[in-house]
Amino acid sequence: MSPPVAPPGWSRWLVPPAALSVHLSIGQAYAWSVFKPPLESALGLSGTQSALPFQLGIVMLGLSAAFGGTLVERNGPRWAMTVALLCFSSGFLLSALGAFLEQYWLIVLGYGFVGGIGLGIGYISPVSTLIKWFPDRPGMATGIAIMGFGGGALIASPWSAQMLESFGGNSTGIALAFLVHGLSYAVFMLLGVLLVRVPRHAPGAPGTARQATTGPQVSANQALRTPQFWLLWIVLCMNVTAGIGILEKAAPMITDFFADTSTPVSVTAAAGFVALLSAANMAGRIGWSSTSDLIGRKNIYRVYLGAGALMYALIALFGDSSKPLFVLCALVILSFYGGGFATVPAYLKDLFGTYQVGAIHGRLLTAWSTAGVLGPLIVNWIADRQEEAGRHGASLYGLSFVIMIGLLVVGFVANELVRPVAPRHHVPAPKEAAHAERQQSESA
């Protein structure tokens, strides 16, 4: 399936809403915690078991993006969005069946494995198309779309909670909520499938593929042989690890920090803090990525990593003495977390060109899968060990915050080492590029 080419006069500003319809849908993944308590109650699960569908979904996001990136580039955004729609929606329908039959393995298979494939393919589906439409503002364009993934939970969380309240928190009510999710997201994602267009190859037209493909071009397979790819892998992994370390444990973390003070944090206030973090995550994706178009990609990552380390240091030193300081620093860190995701496609475009940037982006997202395990593991494991040693409050997190600062410094150094890709890695000319693409397609 190939998307229709945009007719003359087609507005490129119709493409970001098409991408946004997919990203707002798959962004539901960040609202999985709404289903955890009712699943634990209805099916007798532990907290670790109820987290498994989400964890598997994030792992499959990285793997499917990495292995499916070349297919996305070859078949185009409409094919990719269709695959994402079918997998993500089917994942909810399988989960609905699993909840109704009280077979938890079906929920893990549906939401985690099948739905996770939809997450990965859907996440990278619009990237190269947006960059080709907006060669003048790639950071802003990808930021608009990827903003949806960060903000999807702002819609999904209250919507899911309301459905569970209406349908009930038993297995039947959960099944109905999954069913409504699957059908509703299928319709919403279909809007993106029908609306997406690729640019015409008209010389001089704004935002066309021809305009976007000037400059160095590197294939996905060749990109893996460059130090730049692996340096960016480290940069993304360190930035995501630092952000997800707070995001995954946000509510209990702020509760612990102020548990021994005269103004402890209530459950309601902790939930509000989580909502604020989601908003900062979303705002950072469009705000910081747009800023990168003005100051450059390397400079914006200097901000993410350098200022991020400073924010962690302020929380570690003074966070338990000032709620506004704690909240402000956490919001800045989460804005950097979201901004890092939204900026990296444009960074890849600057280094490797638009030739197979979607496939390269997919391979780079394995850094997300790694960070999705690493960040929560550092914070939770150290907090558990500190609690066993008799510590409490903010002291549960001191060591993990020092580790996060160290990781951000590693990412900062890796970003400083990024240089332009050597000419020997470039695709030499259009004819050779077509031949290289055929060879890669045959070997894929």
Side-chain angles (χ1 to χ4, degrees), residues 4-276:
V5 176
W10 179 268
S11 174
R12 62 178 180 167
W13 292 101
L14 294 173
V15 181
L20 197 58
S21 72
V22 173
H23 275 245
L24 278 172
S25 299
I26 63 177
Q28 184 280 334
Y30 279 142
W32 173 254
S33 60
V34 174
F35 288 101
K36 282 170 61 67
L39 280 171
E40 292 167 14
S41 176
L43 303 182
L45 305 174
S46 66
T48 302
Q49 288 173 320
S50 67
L52 183 58
F54 171 78
Q55 291 175 315
L56 180 58
I58 295 300
V59 170
M60 291 307 301
L61 185 159
L63 293 177
S64 61
F67 290 105
T70 302
L71 291 174
V72 171
E73 286 290 295
R74 187 191 311 164
N75 297 323
R78 174 165 288 183
W79 174 88
M81 289 181 178
T82 302
V83 171
L85 183 159
L86 293 173
C87 290
F88 191 65
S89 181
S90 297
F92 269 113
L93 299 182
L94 276 173
S95 298
L97 179 62
F100 183 74
L101 298 177
E102 299 188 2
Q103 296 294 318
Y104 184 60
W105 67 271
L106 269 176
I107 300 176
V108 175
L109 174 67
Y111 191 92
F113 185 80
V114 179
I117 294 173
L119 289 177
I121 300 298
Y123 191 87
I124 64 173
S125 61
V127 170
S128 64
T129 302
L130 282 166
I131 288 176
K132 289 170 184 175
W133 274 109
F134 293 87
D136 51 334
R137 285 181 280 183
M140 179 213 66
T142 55
I144 290 174
I146 293 175
M147 174 184 69
F149 193 86
L154 293 179
I155 299 171
S157 293
W159 183 40
S160 301
Q162 182 59 50
M163 276 195 286
L164 289 169
E165 184 178 336
S166 301
F167 298 148
N170 56 17
S171 59
T172 303
I174 296 170
L176 285 172
F178 282 150
L179 178 64
V180 173
H181 274 75
L183 297 178
S184 300
Y185 282 130
V187 173
F188 193 58
M189 293 172 77
L190 184 62
L191 297 176
V193 173
L194 297 175
L195 189 60
V196 71
R197 299 287 190 277
V198 294
R200 300 178 66 84
H201 295 263
T208 62
R210 177 170 183 150
Q211 197 178 11
T213 54
T214 58
Q217 304 295 320
V218 181
S219 71
N221 284 346
Q222 195 65 29
L224 294 178
R225 299 183 175 95
T226 67
Q228 287 83 356
F229 176 88
W230 296 106
L231 288 170
L232 277 190
W233 193 98
I234 293 171
V235 167
L236 183 63
C237 186
M238 299 301 99
N239 191 58
V240 174
T241 299
I244 211 168
I246 286 182
L247 185 62
E248 188 271 341
K249 203 175 174 64
M253 183 181 292
I254 193 171
T255 302
D256 289 336
F257 254 78
F258 299 99
D260 299 330
T261 68
S262 58
T263 56
V265 176
S266 67
V267 174
T268 302
F273 174 62
V274 174
L276 282 176

Side-chain angles (χ1 to χ4, degrees), residues 424-435:
R424 69 177 182 274
H425 296 295
H426 297 174
V427 174
K431 183 181 293 185
E432 287 81 3
H435 177 66

